[in-house]
Amino acid sequence: MSSIIIKSATIVNEGRTFIGDVFIKNGLIEQVGSSLNMAADKVINAEGLHLFPGCIDDQVHFREPGLTHKADIFTESRAAIAGGITSFMEMPNTVPNTLTQQLLEDKYQIAGRTSAANYSFFMGAGNDNLEQVLKTDPKNVCGIKVFMGSSTGNMLVDNEKTLDGIFSRTPMLVATHCENEATIRANAERFKLQYGDNLTPEMHPLIRNAEACFISSSLAVGLAKKYNTRLHILHISTAIETSLFDNSIPLEKKRITSEACIHHLWFSDADYAKKGNWIKWNPAIKTAADRDEIFKAVLDDRIDVIATDHAPHTIEEKSQPYSKAPSGGPLVQHALIAMLEFYKQGKISLEKIVEKMAHSPAICFQVENRGFVREGYWADLVLVDLNKRSTVNRANVLSKCGWSPFEGQTFASSVVSTIVSGNLVYENGKITDGIFGKRLVFNR
């Protein structure tokens, strides 16, 4: 494996910003300092550029196996590295659903052959596979995923006894999608009676409303407190849910943590009029007041992690009427530069962005030797130019689906280079051919 030296970068790491050099050898960060003089196979002049630890995205849907007309691990991992995401954790609602240890291992085998980024996969929990769930190895699997809502059809876990079993017996992190099924069904029925087939995207946050989220999140928190479960609630979308989380203790000591997603920080329900199904997600994007409170909770550490919930669908699928169009969209390529836009607007510091997108996911999931610019750690790094503008259009979207909810948006910043496990995999718009991702390992 070749050596790399990065010279004169503005390094943002662990709450500090400083000018320095990084020497990489055999995949690892060997030295961080100033005026380093080691000989290297590759020298990167990073003067004027900012160097971050690579982002760790704890929630993506890369659609393989079974839904590869929308996306696959090869295409989406390449989109991720172009966006500065060097590691991802992928969800179990593929086809077939990842409900057995063999199906879980199958996904790892696919990633080992095709992924440009580092990877881990969640084991899926259903109403009748608890014994399979309990066989999951905490050291090489990121967590157990529970859909406490109807987002994924037959992966809905709505049996109280099953939920009790999962929360009481699972020794590792349990990640939840929290929406109350009964509330959503009642709302959907009411809107259907009133509007028939004329439902519109603007109704999405009214059908999948704040009450549905809070009922389910409250249940998850209650179960976690009852059994001392290590709980991580995904994609917080409402102001009221932020009251469930604590910022009085350090992240490494928390038993209950939470995540905010890019789309819930960027859009509001006012955007449905223009964006329609292209911003249809579950949980729904809600009001500007919800968005602002989620952002505040990120800043004050009630919410611990920023992720994407990257979930591509084809243009044809998203172009259907609201009631038929699936929820989800691609975000990995533009998540980091979207957050850097907030920095440019004075809403968040670079140090806090790095914390929420790299350090905190590593701490939250106990990822081994990643998520920081530290000597002895894997060299997962991203160089960004805060003054190189980039405009999103369909021609430069790398996700297989070929579209983005950010189309037409000009960002003030760009990702210049991405290094995965010591390999320069992306540089000035070009992706290096090859399979560079490694399976994530966890300190548990």
Side-chain angles (χ1 to χ4, degrees):
M1 188 177 289
S2 62
S3 57
I4 301 171
I5 190 163
I6 302 170
K7 300 286 292 181
S8 303
T10 302
I11 300 170
V12 184
N13 184 60
E14 299 187 75
R16 295 176 58 223
T17 298
F18 59 97
I19 306 294
D21 304 341
V22 179
F23 179 62
I24 300 160
K25 188 176 181 181
N26 296 326
L28 303 178
I29 298 171
E30 189 165 287
Q31 194 167 345
V32 180
S34 58
S35 303
L36 300 182
N37 292 314
M38 294 84 164
D41 299 310
K42 173 77 174 180
V43 178
I44 298 175
N45 178 10
E47 190 172 351
L49 302 179
H50 283 70
L51 178 68
F52 304 153
C55 299
I56 300 173
D57 193 341
D58 75 357
Q59 188 189 182
V60 303
H61 303 262
F62 282 179
R63 306 302 191 195
E64 190 173 8
L67 299 166
T68 53
H69 67 288
K70 304 173 192 276
D72 57 53
I73 292 168
F74 176 81
T75 58
E76 306 315 289
S77 66
R78 288 162 72 91
I81 62 172
I85 292 170
T86 54
S87 300
F88 65 84
M89 302 178 194
E90 207 264 355
M91 292 297 162
N93 56 323
T94 41
V95 179
N97 298 153
T98 314
L99 295 171
T100 70
Q101 291 298 317
Q102 183 58 58
L103 290 170
L104 179 62
E105 183 55 31
D106 289 347
K107 292 175 78 168
Y108 280 105
Q109 293 297 320
I110 295 168
R113 297 189 301 268
T114 63
S115 184
N118 306 310
Y119 52 87
S120 192
F121 296 91
F122 282 88
M123 175 64 182
N127 275 328
D128 54 7
N129 76 326
L130 182 57
E131 295 310 312
Q132 284 286 312
V133 167
L134 295 176
K135 293 178 181 178
T136 307
D137 185 349
K139 292 190 180 297
N140 63 17
V141 176
C142 51
I144 308 301
K145 175 64 181 289
V146 183
F147 289 92
M148 296 172 64
S150 62
S151 185
T152 56
N154 60 3
M155 282 201 72
L156 168 66
V157 180
D158 56 359
N159 182 298
E160 286 186 27
K161 185 177 179 182
T162 301
L163 285 172
D164 247 45
I166 293 168
F167 277 78
S168 64
R169 297 178 64 190
T170 302
M172 59 190 295
L173 182 145
V174 174
T176 56
H177 175 130
C178 287
E179 291 182 286
N180 179 260
E181 172 72 3
T183 302
I184 293 167
R185 285 185 179 176
N187 291 340
E189 192 62 33
R190 189 172 75 254
F191 273 80
K192 183 76 172 173
L193 284 172
Q194 186 171 355
Y195 296 100
D197 293 328
N198 298 316
L199 299 178
T200 66
E202 289 90 338
M203 298 171 188
H204 194 57
L206 305 177
I207 294 170
R208 307 184 80 95
N209 64 4
E211 181 186 13
C213 295
F214 186 69
I215 289 171
S216 186
S217 293
S218 299
L219 173 61
V221 168
L223 286 167
K225 288 181 176 179
K226 179 179 179 179
Y227 296 114
N228 194 32
T229 315
R230 177 64 187 91
L231 172 67
H232 185 59
I233 300 186
L234 304 169
H235 43 43
I236 297 301
S237 65
T238 72
I240 191 172
E241 286 175 288
T242 64
S243 66
L244 296 170
F245 307 112
D246 190 6
N247 62 1
S248 67
I249 56 176
L251 174 57
E252 54 266 27
K253 294 185 178 180
K254 290 186 181 184
R255 296 295 290 169
I256 298 171
T257 54
S258 59
E259 168 209 275
C261 287
I262 297 297
H263 47 292
H264 293 125
L265 295 170
W266 187 276
F267 300 106
S268 77
D269 58 358
D271 295 306
Y272 285 111
K274 181 179 179 181
K275 295 282 188 178
N277 292 334
W278 307 105
I279 60 166
K280 182 185 178 186
W281 264 275
N282 297 341
I285 290 162
K286 298 182 176 68
T287 68
D290 288 304
R291 178 188 62 195
D292 295 345
E293 190 58 39
I294 295 165
F295 209 109
K296 188 187 300 182
V298 166
L299 294 176
D300 71 17
D301 297 332
R302 283 172 290 156
I303 292 178
D304 305 287
V305 170
I306 295 172
T308 66
D309 195 11
H310 175 93
H313 298 284
T314 67
I315 291 169
E316 292 73 21
E317 288 167 335
K318 283 298 237 181
S319 298
Q320 296 177 101
Y322 161 75
S323 58
K324 292 183 179 180
S327 294
L331 281 170
V332 289
Q333 189 176 346
H334 305 111
L336 176 56
I337 58 173
M339 290 308 303
L340 292 175
E341 200 71 13
F342 289 134
Y343 162 73
K344 288 283 190 173
Q345 295 166 7
K347 294 180 178 179
I348 190 170
S349 69
L350 292 178
E351 293 84 359
K352 184 63 75 171
I353 292 170
V354 168
E355 177 190 327
K356 298 297 180 180
M357 300 186 80
H359 302 336
S360 292
I363 295 168
C364 186
F365 285 83
Q366 299 170 277
V367 181
E368 185 174 286
N369 293 344
R370 299 187 190 272
F372 297 85
V373 183
R374 287 178 180 168
E375 293 176 1
Y377 273 52
W378 285 102
D380 296 332
L381 304 168
V382 56
L383 281 166
V384 299
D385 187 337
L386 295 180
N387 298 304
K388 184 181 179 183
R389 294 163 69 85
S390 53
T391 301
V392 181
N393 57 60
R394 289 191 176 178
N396 58 30
V397 168
L398 295 176
S399 290
K400 184 186 275 192
C401 65
W403 64 274
S404 168
F406 287 124
E407 282 172 41
Q409 174 72 42
T410 297
F411 291 107
S413 307
S414 298
V415 172
V416 175
S417 302
T418 305
I419 295 172
V420 174
S421 297
N423 299 284
L424 182 60
V425 296
Y426 178 81
E427 187 175 30
N428 296 318
K430 294 183 179 179
I431 296 173
T432 304
D433 288 330
I435 309 308
F436 302 108
K438 294 184 179 295
R439 183 171 181 162
L440 298 179
V441 180
F442 304 90
N443 287 315
R444 298 169 177 156

